[in-house]
Amino acid sequence: MPSGTILVADDDSAIRTVLNQALSRAGYTVRLTSNATTLWRWVSSGEGDLVISDVVMPDENAFDVLPRIRKLRPELPVIIMSAQNTFMTAIKASEQGAYEYLPKPFDLKELTGIVGRALAEPKGRQFDMGGEGNDNIPLVGRSPAMQEIYRVLARLMQTDLTVMINGESGTGKEVVARALHDYGKRRNGPFVAVNMAAIPKDLIESELFGHEKGSFTGAQARSSGRFEQADGGTLLLDEIGDMPMEAQTRLLRVLQQGEYTSVGGRTPIQTDVRIIAATNKDLRQLINQGLFREDLYFRLNVVPIRLPPLRERTEDIPDLVRHFFAMAESEGLPAKQIEVAALDKLRRYRWPGNVRELENLVRRLAALYPQDDITASLIDLELSQPSAAISEADAPSAQDLSGSVERYLGDYFSGFGEELPPPGLYHRILREVEYPLISAVLAATRGNQIKAAELLGVNRNTLRKKIRDLDVQVIRSSR
């Protein structure tokens, strides 16, 4: 039976009651308070084996108390709760040494599990303290999908683990990579981003590893590569799925051995970089097609992060719009307000360009329209594409889908020239269609698998198996 005393500080009496019941049932002794002053008195007198505290309390912010707790009792685990649910809240909790950060509302089973793990750890454990953050919030959104990303990022800040970011174009993959660097232990080192798709194939190795004078035609002087430029910092390998096989082999060797040689060079060069890879492609499909090394995939995919498309987190659109209008105003553009009806129009748009498309739209609205209030009619004018809104009347027809598939297959076969693609094409195509179909239906039903199965016309067990086999992320939302 678990044991220990839990100190709970929250000015919401309902939260205190729920936590008291759940933790008491789990076997813990619980002490409750509504303010930071009482919490600090308990902690300073040596009481409690673990603290659960809200961020905002009537007398003091938990982030003001937390450094004092860390200094006086560094072995005492502190779990921070917050209804603010921003990226910076998660980062501040991590930087100031919180054991865990939980956005409200949270799952009670998850909380009791975290409490059990925290109390089971050795008492001498020291909590890592990061440097001071700032208030320039790089990531915006309070949706369940973004909350989970914030928690993962907060845990990764003080590590050098390799991260693989997957998401459609425009979802903010480089923004996430920069956040990992700017708020992590390598923040004082360089951040270097290289786009694999933008470099000619015969120059990729030189671009990454540098070259010596005379190593190839046109190499008139020694040139440092991106690994050397990023030494001591972070290297973002964007669009990693476009890296040719030869360069993949060299990259794998670097990741395994921690050293490389420049093109034309003979002396091994030690490397000290954190690798973050990003892609908008399904690398598992590329592996099946023989276009990506499986061993490199597992080297890079240490911590996978999937960035959801904007259509899967439409509840974040109001926050994003306000954020982008504020950015535009700081750059000298006029201040704007947006009507509720206009926001509803934005929520119904499919956003093929994701957050980047929304940002561009907001900048156009700020720059081109003289009126202070952005109306629904202005949004209709900007979003004039007939197939953009999510409605039955605007849904693409089966003929459109068939034509799109036919064009895709034509481009696919032409990419192999006179050769044929690897065997198993039928199942690969079905898998490529199944994943976005099931993902879109789950997004439309807000993660409700019963409704999703009914909409698809399949058995619930069949849907569960497809979700598991295709590794489809299910984001549940009560909205």
Side-chain angles (χ1 to χ4, degrees):
M1 187 76 173
S3 62
T5 300
I6 313 297
L7 309 179
V8 176
D10 196 305
D11 61 347
D12 187 328
S13 60
I15 294 289
R16 293 197 305 272
T17 300
V18 168
L19 289 179
N20 185 33
Q21 292 173 348
L23 294 169
S24 297
R25 281 197 302 267
Y28 300 107
T29 301
V30 184
R31 300 196 66 182
L32 306 170
T33 181
S34 62
N35 58 77
T37 302
T38 303
L39 173 64
W40 174 245
R41 186 174 72 249
W42 289 343
V43 171
S44 58
S45 63
E47 297 183 45
D49 300 296
L50 181 142
V51 171
I52 301 175
S53 176
D54 190 23
V55 172
V56 180
M57 285 181 283
D59 52 343
E60 197 171 8
N61 190 292
F63 288 140
D64 296 326
V65 181
L66 188 54
R68 302 203 303 268
I69 296 176
R70 296 269 57 78
K71 184 176 180 179
L72 180 67
R73 297 176 61 184
E75 80 290 346
L76 182 67
V78 179
I79 297 172
I80 292 293
M81 307 177 294
S82 177
Q84 295 177 328
N85 298 353
T86 67
F87 172 69
M88 290 308 301
T89 306
I91 294 302
K92 285 180 180 177
S94 175
E95 286 182 338
Q96 297 196 17
Y99 180 84
E100 182 61 278
Y101 158 75
L102 282 176
K104 294 180 178 179
F106 48 81
D107 184 83
L108 285 173
K109 288 184 178 179
E110 181 183 14
L111 174 64
T112 53
I114 292 171
V115 168
R117 289 196 302 272
L119 292 176
E121 290 190 359
K123 293 301 180 184
R125 177 179 183 263
Q126 295 292 317
F127 292 83
D128 204 357
M129 299 283 286
E132 291 298 322
N134 57 50
D135 293 325
N136 297 319
I137 302 175
L139 295 168
V140 177
R142 302 164 190 260
S143 62
M146 293 305 295
Q147 284 303 306
E148 184 57 31
I149 288 171
Y150 296 161
R151 292 180 64 190
V152 171
L153 293 180
R155 295 187 189 110
L156 291 173
M157 288 306 171
Q158 300 308 315
T159 76
D160 272 336
L161 292 174
T162 303
V163 177
M164 172 73 79
I165 306 172
N166 188 279
E168 296 178 6
S169 295
T171 49
K173 295 186 290 294
E174 184 168 345
V175 175
V176 170
R178 280 196 170 273
L180 279 168
H181 173 80
D182 291 344
Y183 295 89
K185 59 192 291 187
R186 290 177 176 263
R187 62 170 64 88
N188 295 322
F191 176 86
V192 177
V194 55
N195 189 326
M196 296 291 107
I199 305 171
K201 290 185 178 181
D202 55 348
L203 294 179
I204 281 185
E205 293 191 36
S206 173
E207 183 77 16
L208 289 177
F209 308 115
H211 62 258
E212 301 299 322
K213 180 180 179 180
S215 56
F216 56 85
T217 303
Q220 300 179 354
R222 183 187 183 278
S223 176
S224 63
R226 298 306 180 96
F227 269 89
E228 184 175 342
Q229 295 166 13
D231 193 61
T234 303
L235 177 61
L236 169 63
L237 301 175
D238 201 3
E239 304 303 348
I240 190 71
D242 291 293
M243 176 180 275
M245 290 295 287
E246 299 80 9
Q248 291 179 35
T249 301
R250 287 204 63 182
L251 175 60
L252 178 63
R253 192 176 303 123
V254 173
L255 296 178
Q256 289 173 334
Q257 300 175 358
E259 62 182 26
Y260 63 93
T261 55
S262 60
V263 176
R266 296 183 178 181
T267 305
I269 302 171
Q270 294 292 321
T271 180
D272 175 27
V273 298
R274 181 187 195 172
I275 298 293
I276 300 176
T279 182
N280 61 6
K281 297 182 177 181
D282 186 343
L283 295 184
R284 293 165 301 181
Q285 292 291 333
L286 296 182
I287 292 170
N288 291 336
Q289 296 169 13
L291 299 175
F292 200 85
R293 292 186 61 123
E294 187 174 28
D295 46 5
L296 177 59
Y297 171 77
F298 287 119
R299 278 280 179 176
L300 295 172
N301 199 48
V302 178
V303 181
I305 296 178
R306 176 186 178 267
L307 294 188
L310 187 54
R311 63 182 174 273
E312 290 184 11
R313 57 181 189 107
T314 54
E315 57 264 59
D316 289 333
I317 285 178
D319 284 340
L320 286 164
V321 168
R322 284 189 287 270
H323 175 71
F324 291 138
F325 272 135
M327 285 179 56
E329 186 178 355
S330 70
E331 295 168 1
L333 292 172
K336 302 288 183 182
Q337 300 291 326
I338 186 166
E339 295 180 352
V340 173
L343 286 174
D344 289 339
K345 295 279 187 182
L346 295 178
R347 290 192 189 96
R348 291 196 296 270
Y349 184 65
R350 284 199 61 83
W351 298 109
N354 291 298
V355 178
R356 185 185 297 125
E357 183 183 4
L358 176 61
E359 180 180 6
N360 292 339
L361 170 65
V362 170
R363 289 181 179 276
R364 285 202 307 277
L365 293 170
L368 300 181
Y369 294 96
Q371 51 267 62
D372 294 335
D373 294 322
I374 302 300
T375 63
S377 60
L378 286 181
I379 297 299
D380 279 333
L381 184 63
E382 284 290 331
L383 304 179
S384 57
Q385 300 178 22
S387 61
I390 304 175
S391 66
E392 187 175 343
D394 293 331
S397 67
Q399 185 177 2
D400 292 335
L401 178 60
S402 177
S404 298
V405 171
E406 186 175 352
R407 287 191 296 273
Y408 168 80
L409 289 173
D411 293 337
Y412 179 80
F413 278 100
S414 65
F416 287 88
E418 296 182 359
E419 299 179 358
L420 291 176
L425 179 61
Y426 178 80
H427 294 289
R428 290 202 301 273
I429 293 297
L430 286 184
R431 184 181 175 91
E432 288 188 19
V433 172
E434 277 186 318
Y435 184 93
L437 172 62
I438 293 175
S439 180
V441 169
L442 287 169
T445 58
R446 312 215 182 279
N448 188 317
Q449 295 184 33
I450 298 176
K451 291 183 179 178
E454 182 181 357
L455 181 58
L456 287 166
V458 300
N459 183 278
R460 280 181 63 193
N461 292 331
T462 301
L463 177 60
R464 287 198 188 100
K465 186 176 186 303
K466 292 291 185 184
I467 291 172
R468 184 173 62 252
D469 292 345
L470 297 171
D471 196 21
V472 178
Q473 184 175 11
V474 181
I475 303 297
R476 294 176 176 83
S477 174
S478 58
R479 187 174 66 84

